[in-house]
């Protein structure tokens, strides 16, 4: 089902854009299953074996996960704290539907996380913005303006219907979707 596929993308996107060790089970990147058994360590049968035929069947998802891993490697600020950004932005900031508004209420439907720090070469600022809408209706997210004449560029979205409206600095996030951007 399409929603299940999107939720799998959401889970990997959230995991790979979160700080700390990104841990997933071997085979998750191509849709391997343990048939609902989340404690299969003592099973020496098809429940715990990797079904490599799923790699071919789920090649597009596998490629998506590979791209997320490459993005995580290319942006060390996502993996952990780096040197302070030249522009003075905090290393992590939280945004609700409006930039720099970190107030979260019971009816908040969208959350944005912005990571700021130095890139791997330590020469310029690196900014990554992760916008998440886990609500069941489409929502908007307005982006903070990046410093130094940079602007946001979309890396990925877990829904084909997600829209980045660059001129307006706004994202249209369909139900249960995530979009990742970086400043360039």
């Amino acid at each position: 089902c399409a929603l299940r596929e999107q939720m799998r993308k959401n889970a990997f996107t959230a995991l790979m854009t979160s700080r700390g060790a990104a841990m997933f089970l071997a085979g998750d990147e191509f849709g391997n299953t343990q048939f609902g058994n989340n404690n299969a360590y003592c099973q020496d049968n098809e429940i715990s074996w990797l079904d490599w035929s799923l790699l071919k069947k789920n090649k597009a998802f596998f490629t998506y996960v590979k791209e997320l891993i490459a993005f995580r490697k290319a942006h060390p600020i996502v993996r952990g704290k780096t040197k302070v950004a030249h522009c003075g932005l905090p290393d992590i900031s939280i945004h609700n539907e409006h930039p720099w508004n970190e107030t979260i209420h019971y009816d908040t439907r969208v959350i944005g996380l912005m990571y700021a720090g130095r890139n791997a070469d330590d020469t310029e600022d690196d900014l990554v913005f992760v916008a998440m809408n886990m609500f069941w209706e489409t929502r908007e997210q307005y982006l903070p303006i990046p410093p130094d004449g940079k602007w946001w560029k979309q890396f990925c979205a877990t829904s084909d219907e997600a829209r980045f409206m660059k001129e307006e600095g706004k994202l249209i996030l369909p139900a249960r979707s995530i979009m990742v951007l970086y400043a360039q």
Side-chain angles (χ1 to χ4, degrees):
C1 137
L3 179 58
R4 181 172 170 79
E5 183 71 14
Q6 185 169 322
M7 295 304 281
R8 281 183 30 195
K9 279 185 167 182
N10 286 342
F12 264 94
T13 304
L15 176 68
M16 298 307 288
T17 58
S18 296
R19 291 214 166 152
M23 296 173 51
F24 51 91
L25 189 62
D28 284 349
E29 70 277 15
F30 56 80
N32 193 54
T33 179
Q34 292 183 331
F35 307 101
N37 187 336
N38 65 353
N39 196 15
Y41 74 96
C42 64
Q43 301 284 333
D44 187 15
N45 55 38
E46 64 186 21
I47 290 175
S48 64
W49 298 339
L50 287 179
D51 181 356
W52 289 98
S53 68
L54 292 172
L55 177 57
K56 186 175 183 179
K57 179 182 173 187
N58 297 317
K59 187 71 172 171
F61 188 78
F62 178 75
T63 301
Y64 180 79
V65 173
K66 279 178 51 175
E67 290 170 357
L68 284 171
I69 292 169
F71 182 83
R72 184 177 173 88
K73 286 182 178 179
H75 297 275
I77 58 168
V78 174
R79 297 190 311 267
K81 196 169 189 169
T82 63
K83 291 186 180 177
V84 176
H86 294 292
C87 64
L89 290 173
D91 63 329
I92 298 177
S93 54
I94 298 171
H95 310 260
N96 64 21
E97 291 158 328
H98 301 283
W100 303 108
N101 187 346
E102 60 184 41
T103 306
I104 307 296
H105 295 288
Y106 72 94
D107 61 346
T108 301
R109 304 293 186 233
V110 174
I111 189 165
L113 297 172
M114 185 170 66
Y115 300 111
R118 304 254 186 97
N119 65 7
D121 298 333
D122 194 31
T123 56
E124 63 180 85
D125 290 344
D126 189 18
L127 284 88
V128 172
F129 193 89
V130 182
M132 297 179 237
N133 174 21
M134 294 300 114
F135 192 53
W136 57 80
E137 294 176 356
T138 298
R139 306 301 284 182
E140 295 179 352
Q141 168 84 51
Y142 289 88
L143 297 166
I145 297 171
D148 303 327
K150 294 183 179 192
W151 197 241
W152 296 110
K153 181 172 178 155
Q154 180 179 333
F155 166 66
C156 72
T158 61
S159 170
D160 293 336
E161 298 171 14
R163 298 288 172 254
F164 171 35
M165 305 177 85
K166 186 175 182 176
E167 296 77 29
E168 298 172 39
K170 177 171 75 169
L171 307 176
I172 306 297
L173 297 168
R176 298 178 180 95
S177 67
I178 299 176
M179 186 181 288
V180 179
L181 301 101
Y182 62 97
Q184 189 178 40

